């Protein structure tokens, strides 16, 4: 079970109940600065203790200066990042930004916000936030620049853009001196990590480099970097089949991450240990470690470790001739593989869109610079000879026309990339990220107006069998046909999105639960009536539907999705091709099934 931080939960209460802040006394201001700095330093060694010190400082929140309030909110957001509570981190960072105009603090806020967006798989937002940071850098000192380069390198690592990761790591390292021990430790590790991802060095050379970085960071007292170095050494030695050494380093990393309560890294390290144990024929240990990964809280940040764990469990089940269980694990493995593939596509799209935008801006600046030089040259010629004026005007007109054409082409490309990032390429409807974002916006509006709100999730029944029996081309035909049939029936005010694979969602603002259930039944019948002969094969199409509605305790779209998912599960369990309703009451009602 992942360790969660229990501190900082009363921030809203403190802020709301505090009396109007007076001008902070000098003694309070100085002591608060010292305490905030001490907490920031303690995050390197003891996250839990840092949280306790933050909670002790919270009663004084309204007596702090705006800059100190911003600093405190940033530290609270960092603690949420360690605990993988990313939405809370974004909220705290937004509050911190509203309380400061200091460029250094703003750069720090943008860096953590970009990291949080990456954790939430909001890659386009992360890259836009990186650009905000880069815009501030020319006016900042070297220490802030180093921190910014570190965060940017981390973001490019998550985007699989390892050349960019190495470039910013080298920039950071170039700005360090012998006295910048923390930044030098981070920069050296980031650089060797980038070389590992690019396979630019032989494995023994990389092992030696990581051990050198670990020794330096350990000597300077940075235990989190030591944990990261141990994990990387474990990965390298696993590749070299040095299983005993790999286990030793990974066990050290696991203990260190558990001390930091770093939930995502704990799960990732456990998955690596499961692979080591399996390779060493320690089947029982491998199964136990893999099940710890599978049982941990799931999020997009741990898709890869969970995929690796399911692969280990499938191999163990196959060795034990438990083929039914092996198939179950392989299905989970395949599902996560699909999610990771979709994620890689989103990363590539976001990165290419950002890269294209940067290139476009650079080309525009270069073009403007060329035009300025051209204009000055022609102005000088104009002073010498009046008859050259006509030639100058003609050339300038052609240049402006070319610039307009380039801008038009650029805008068209930009619209194309924006559409790719919002819509599902297979069906043409909204993808999950866009659908959920629009749904959240409509949900907030409905909540403020006390309007009803409903959500329908449906999943195509036995879709894998269609793919297996008739091929993936037929499966793609089914996805497009289902979208075509329902798109004509879904109301204009409703939001139709593909949530992934064969799962779809219809978000229904201003719609009662009973109406949503009736519409779901109508859609179920429409899907069941699809004529599949035009696909070249004859088979039945059906779907199971889960319906939920907004209740008083809902503050976001997530509870509706969770309840609809529960109802969908019940519809599947009832025999598929059914509609199930989840009311969300304390005492669950009998699930209504319409077949």
């Amino acid at each position: 079970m992942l360790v969660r931080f229990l501190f900082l939960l009363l921030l809203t209460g403190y802020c709301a109940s505090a009396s109007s802040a007076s001008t902070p006394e000098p003694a309070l201001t100085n002591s608060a600065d010292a305490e905030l700095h001490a907490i920031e330093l303690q995050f390197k060694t003891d996250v839990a203790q840092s949280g306790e010190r933050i909670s002790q400082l919270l009663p004084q929140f309204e007596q702090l200066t705006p800059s100190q309030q911003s600093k405190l909110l940033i530290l609270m957001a960092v603690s949420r990042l360690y605990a993988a509570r990313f939405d809370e981190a974004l909220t705290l960072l937004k509050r911190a930004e509203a309380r400061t105009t200091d460029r250094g603090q703003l750069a720090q806020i943008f860096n953590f916000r970009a990291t949080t967006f990456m954790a939430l798989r909001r890659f386009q937002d992360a890259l836009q936030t990186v650009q905000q940071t880069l815009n501030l850098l020319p006016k900042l000192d070297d220490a802030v620049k180093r921190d910014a380069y570190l965060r940017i390198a981390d973001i490019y690592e998550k985007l699989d853009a390892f050349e960019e990761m190495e470039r910013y790591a080298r920039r950071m390292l170039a700005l360090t001196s012998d006295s910048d021990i923390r930044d030098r430790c981070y920069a050296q590790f980031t650089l060797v990590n980038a070389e590992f991802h690019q396979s630019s060095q032989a494995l023994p050379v990389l092992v030696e480099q990581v051990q050198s970085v670990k020794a330096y960071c350990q000597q300077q007292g940075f235990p989190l970097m030591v944990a990261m170095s141990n994990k990387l050494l474990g990965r390298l030695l696993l590749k070299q089949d040095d299983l005993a050494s790999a286990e030793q380093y990974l066990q050290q990393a696991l203990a260190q991450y558990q001390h930091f309560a770093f939930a995502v890294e704990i799960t990732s390290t456990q998955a690596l240990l499961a692979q080591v144990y399996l390779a060493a024929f320690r089947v029982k240990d491998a199964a136990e470690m893999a099940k710890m990964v599978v049982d941990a809280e799931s999020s997009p940040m741990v898709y890869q470790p969970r995929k690796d764990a399911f692969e280990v469990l499938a191999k163990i089940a196959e060795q034990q001739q438990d083929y039914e269980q092996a198939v179950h694990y392989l299905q989970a493995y395949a599902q996560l593989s699909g999610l990771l593939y979709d994620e890689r596509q989103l990363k590539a799209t976001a990165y290419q869109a950002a890269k294209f935008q940067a290139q476009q801006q650079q080309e525009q600046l270069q073009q403007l610079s060329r035009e300025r030089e051209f204009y000055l040259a022609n102005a000088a010629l104009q002073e010498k000879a009046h008859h050259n004026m006509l030639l100058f005007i003609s050339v300038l007109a052609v240049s402006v026309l070319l610039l307009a054409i380039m801008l038009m082409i650029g805008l068209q490309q930009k619209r194309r990339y924006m559409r790719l990032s919002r819509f599902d390429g297979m069906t043409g409807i909204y993808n999950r990220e866009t659908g959920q974002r629009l749904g959240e916006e409509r949900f907030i509006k409905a909540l403020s107006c006390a309007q009803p709100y409903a959500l329908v999730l449906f999943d195509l029944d036995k879709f894998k069998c269609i793919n297996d029996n008739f091929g993936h081309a037929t499966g793609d035909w089914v996805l497009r046909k289902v979208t075509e049939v329902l798109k004509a029936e879904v109301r204009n005010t409703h939001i139709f999105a593909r949530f992934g694979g064969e799962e779809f969602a219809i978000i229904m603002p201003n719609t009662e639960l009973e109406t949503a259930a009736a519409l779901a039944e109508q859609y179920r019948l429409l899907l069941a009536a699809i004529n599949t002969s035009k696909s070249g094969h004859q088979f039945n199409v059906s779907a199971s539907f889960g319906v939920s509605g907004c209740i008083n305790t809902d503050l976001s779209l997530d509870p509706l999705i969770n309840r609809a998912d529960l109802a969908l599960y019940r519809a599947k369990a009832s025999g598929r091709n059914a509609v199930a309703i989840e009311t969300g009451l304390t005492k669950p009602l009998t699930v209504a099934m319409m077949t």
Side-chain angles (χ1 to χ4, degrees):
M1 181 177 180
L2 295 178
V3 179
R4 291 295 187 186
F5 291 105
L6 300 178
F7 57 94
L8 311 176
L9 295 179
L10 298 178
L11 172 62
T12 304
Y14 281 120
C15 294
S17 62
S19 58
S20 298
S22 58
T23 302
E25 298 178 3
L28 175 62
T29 300
N30 294 334
S31 64
D33 283 333
E35 181 65 8
L36 288 169
H37 182 66
I39 293 171
E40 186 176 19
L41 292 176
Q42 194 169 30
F43 260 115
K44 304 171 187 175
T45 57
D46 194 334
V47 176
Q49 184 62 35
S50 301
E52 293 176 6
R53 295 178 70 170
I54 289 174
S55 61
Q56 293 171 5
L57 194 58
L58 281 175
Q60 306 175 25
F61 186 85
E62 291 297 334
Q63 282 71 50
L64 302 178
T65 67
S67 178
Q68 291 170 340
Q69 290 177 351
S70 178
K71 185 68 174 179
L72 179 58
L73 290 167
I74 292 171
L75 292 173
M76 293 167 66
V78 172
S79 73
R80 297 303 201 271
L81 284 175
Y82 274 112
R85 291 155 62 179
F86 303 116
D87 290 327
E88 292 178 30
L90 284 178
T91 300
L92 290 167
L93 290 171
K94 184 176 181 181
R95 293 177 60 193
E97 183 182 1
R99 286 169 168 79
T100 186
T101 56
D102 179 77
R103 289 191 178 94
Q105 280 191 332
L106 287 173
Q108 194 176 33
I109 290 167
F110 293 156
N111 288 335
F112 285 124
R113 182 178 291 161
T115 301
T116 308
F117 281 145
M118 289 300 301
L120 292 169
R121 274 37 189 175
R122 294 168 57 178
F123 305 118
Q124 194 69 38
D125 291 336
L127 288 169
Q128 291 174 357
T129 308
V130 166
Q131 189 58 51
Q132 287 182 290
T133 304
L134 292 174
N135 292 338
L136 288 174
L137 290 187
K139 302 175 183 178
L140 299 176
D141 59 35
D142 286 349
V144 179
K145 286 181 180 178
R146 290 194 298 269
D147 186 62
Y149 288 148
L150 174 65
R151 299 292 171 184
I152 292 170
D154 179 62
I155 287 168
Y156 279 120
E157 178 186 12
K158 292 181 174 63
L159 285 171
D160 300 334
F162 302 119
E163 290 183 0
E164 292 293 326
M165 175 188 175
E166 180 181 353
R167 183 157 68 96
Y168 282 99
R170 292 190 182 280
R171 286 186 180 183
M172 180 184 179
L173 191 59
L175 290 176
T176 61
S177 62
D178 292 338
S179 61
D180 302 320
I181 54 177
R182 181 191 77 96
D183 289 344
R184 175 160 290 188
C185 169
Y186 287 5
Q188 288 177 346
F189 176 81
T190 304
L191 185 58
V192 73
N193 194 21
E195 292 175 345
F196 162 70
H197 284 298
Q198 295 179 89
S199 301
S200 57
Q201 299 279 3
L203 289 177
V205 175
L206 285 173
V207 169
E208 183 177 348
Q209 290 177 347
V210 178
Q211 288 174 334
S212 175
V213 172
K214 175 188 171 182
Y216 177 82
C217 296
Q218 193 165 25
Q219 181 182 6
Q220 303 301 334
F222 297 106
L224 181 58
M225 298 307 299
V226 174
M228 296 172 73
S229 299
N230 281 330
K231 179 185 173 186
L232 183 53
L233 283 168
R235 294 179 66 182
L236 289 167
L237 292 166
L238 176 59
K239 284 180 174 289
Q240 290 182 296
D241 292 326
D242 187 350
L243 302 179
S245 299
E247 179 190 359
Q248 177 186 352
Y249 284 115
L250 290 173
Q251 286 287 6
Q252 292 177 18
L254 181 59
Q256 291 159 334
Y257 282 135
Q258 287 171 338
H259 175 74
F260 278 96
F262 208 154
V264 172
E265 290 297 337
I266 290 170
T267 302
S268 177
T269 307
Q270 288 171 335
L272 288 169
L273 276 168
Q275 295 177 61
V276 171
Y277 291 147
L278 183 63
F281 303 104
R282 293 165 58 181
V283 175
K284 182 179 178 181
D285 292 337
E288 289 178 355
M289 194 62 68
K291 285 179 180 177
M292 290 175 69
V293 175
V294 171
D295 293 338
E297 183 176 343
S298 179
S299 73
M301 289 287 287
V302 293
Y303 280 169
Q304 184 63 50
R306 286 174 63 82
K307 172 190 167 186
D308 295 338
F310 278 120
E311 184 179 22
V312 168
L313 291 170
K315 289 179 179 178
I316 292 172
E318 183 180 8
Q319 291 174 8
Q320 297 173 346
Q321 297 184 352
D322 187 354
Y323 299 113
E324 182 178 354
Q325 192 65 42
V327 169
H328 169 73
Y329 289 140
L330 286 174
Q331 288 174 341
Y333 170 88
Q335 182 183 15
L336 287 168
S337 296
L339 291 173
L340 287 168
Y341 174 80
D342 292 340
E343 179 179 290
R344 285 194 295 271
Q345 294 297 105
L346 286 175
K347 287 179 181 179
T349 301
Y351 176 69
Q352 291 301 326
K355 188 175 181 181
F356 177 81
Q357 187 174 12
Q359 290 175 344
Q360 185 183 32
Q361 291 174 349
Q362 185 65 25
E363 289 174 359
Q364 289 174 349
L365 289 173
Q366 291 175 354
Q367 181 68 23
L368 290 173
S369 178
R370 287 195 296 267
E371 285 187 13
R372 180 176 178 275
E373 294 173 0
F374 185 74
Y375 176 82
L376 292 175
N378 277 276
L381 290 174
Q382 184 182 25
E383 293 178 1
K384 297 178 181 180
H386 180 73
H387 67 272
N388 289 336
M389 178 64 72
L390 182 60
L391 176 62
F392 166 71
I393 294 174
S394 300
V395 173
L396 183 60
V398 171
S399 299
V400 171
L401 179 61
L402 290 174
L403 177 61
I405 293 172
M406 290 176 65
L407 288 173
M408 185 179 299
I409 294 172
L411 288 173
Q412 290 174 347
Q413 290 290 341
K414 185 177 180 180
R415 291 193 197 100
R416 178 170 173 266
Y417 284 123
M418 290 298 293
R419 178 174 178 81
L420 287 174
S421 68
R422 294 181 60 204
F423 294 93
D424 177 55
M426 174 68 67
T427 61
I429 60 176
Y430 290 124
N431 57 30
R432 178 170 190 151
E433 179 183 356
T434 304
Q436 201 160 345
R437 176 176 56 80
L438 294 174
E440 287 285 1
E441 293 172 358
R442 298 291 295 276
F443 179 85
I444 293 171
K445 182 177 179 181
L447 201 63
S448 64
C449 299
Q451 294 176 344
Y453 204 92
L455 185 143
V456 173
L457 284 181
F458 69 92
D459 188 277
L460 300 182
D461 297 329
K462 298 183 179 179
F463 183 75
K464 185 178 183 300
C465 294
I466 295 174
N467 277 332
D468 291 343
N469 294 333
F470 307 109
H472 288 277
T474 303
D476 293 346
W477 180 90
V478 171
L479 292 174
R480 288 191 291 267
K481 189 63 178 178
V482 166
T483 304
E484 174 187 346
V485 169
L486 292 190
K487 195 173 182 181
E489 298 296 325
V490 171
R491 297 176 181 177
N492 292 334
T493 57
H494 293 174
I495 300 166
F496 189 20
R498 183 185 178 194
F499 267 32
E502 64 269 26
E503 186 178 22
F504 297 79
I506 304 174
I507 302 170
M508 301 180 172
N510 200 20
T511 303
E512 297 288 351
L513 179 61
E514 294 79 8
T515 304
L519 288 172
E521 174 62 8
Q522 177 185 338
Y523 299 154
R524 184 187 69 82
L525 295 173
L526 286 171
L527 296 186
I530 289 177
N531 181 4
T532 62
S533 60
K534 292 185 179 180
S535 71
H537 304 280
Q538 194 66 42
F539 54 90
N540 294 325
V541 175
S542 67
S544 300
F545 289 72
V547 185
S548 67
C550 181
I551 59 177
N552 292 337
T553 58
D554 291 339
L555 298 179
S556 71
L557 199 61
D558 289 338
L560 279 80
I561 295 175
N562 291 337
R563 291 198 299 274
D565 198 49
L566 287 174
L568 174 58
Y569 175 81
R570 291 173 184 163
K572 289 282 189 183
S574 71
R576 301 185 179 88
N577 193 21
V579 176
I581 303 171
E582 178 60 42
T583 63
L585 298 176
T586 304
K587 294 182 178 180
L589 298 175
T590 301
V591 177
M593 294 293 179
M594 294 181 259
T595 60

